[in-house]
Amino acid sequence: MQCVRLTSAVEVKLAIRALHILFFLWAFSTPAAAQETTLNGYVLELGSGEPLRFVEIKNLNTGASAESLEDGSFRIAADKNERLQFEYPGYRTDTLVVIEFGVKRVYLTPDGSTIQLDEVQIQAMTDSRLEAEIKRAKAEGAFTEVSQQRGGIRISPSRWFAKDGRQARQRYQLLLAERERRQIDARFTPSAITAITPLKGADLELYMTKYRPSVEFLSTADESDLQLYIMDTYAAFKALTPEERAAIKAPTQQEKND
């Protein structure tokens, strides 16, 4: 009987020690595991490096989903070896296997499909994104192509008359108009005008609308040329009748493109 009691006491001590070890492992391993349940990163465009907003990120293993923010950043619940899918209209869908939990940078590439752009979207683009879209629309709307087999350039009527080609050329013209608008606005500014004329308020707006210079003129004009242009056109503006001033209106986007 004494031997049995001794064995039982030893077993109890061993069981208590085992529980202590398990508790120790649980206490120190749980926080580390919790830290690895969220993946942070950024979604960017491959060509320009611009952040992409509203990209849909989905964990294909768990179904968890997230959306990238204005700066391209995202957070999503994930674990090691799980697959994340990145989907955005006009770009190739990409997947990422979670290997470790450092900050990820995911780059998406355009899929070549037509993206309709309106004036508001174009004006919201950064300069680098605008240049990338101009280059892309020009390539998609080209009616000539380089032949790898025959060498040289050949005409492709199918590309010229195809719907996608026409839409790409329309986008190209719209994007070029936005680039020209920015080039003019960078130099023909209210501060440049008010520095040498007394114009302000509504008169300043009317003057800037009617006598907006062309990008061709500004491409060769230096600062003295621009100042002379402002003085000459200001003199013409002062000579306008009230009826002529009332007839001034800002051109529509279609008129700008024409």
Side-chain angles (χ1 to χ4, degrees), residues 150-161:
R150 303 175 186 175
I153 298 175
R154 67 185 182 89
I155 304 297
S156 176
S158 61
R159 293 182 65 179
W160 178 255
F161 293 107

Side-chain angles (χ1 to χ4, degrees), residues 171-258:
R171 296 203 321 275
Y172 180 65
Q173 293 301 321
L174 195 62
L175 292 162
L176 285 182
E178 172 61 18
R179 181 169 68 181
E180 290 187 359
R181 183 190 69 80
R182 295 185 186 190
Q183 291 172 342
I184 296 171
D185 288 348
R187 298 188 62 189
F188 192 63
T189 62
S191 59
I193 297 165
T194 56
I196 54 179
T197 74
L199 289 170
K200 60 181 180 180
D203 284 343
L204 177 61
E205 292 181 7
L206 290 174
Y207 164 80
M208 293 186 70
T209 297
K210 183 170 180 61
Y211 296 103
R212 186 175 177 82
S214 67
V215 71
E216 289 79 16
F217 166 73
L218 290 177
S219 64
T220 58
D222 58 20
E223 289 307 308
S224 60
D225 292 331
L226 180 58
Q227 290 175 356
L228 183 61
Y229 171 84
I230 293 173
M231 288 188 289
D232 288 344
T233 51
Y234 171 62
F237 180 75
K238 288 194 300 181
L240 294 177
T241 65
E243 292 76 14
E244 289 173 329
R245 293 194 183 192
I248 299 173
K249 63 176 182 177
T252 65
Q253 186 63 44
Q254 182 62 41
E255 291 171 340
K256 291 179 185 178
N257 294 340
D258 295 342

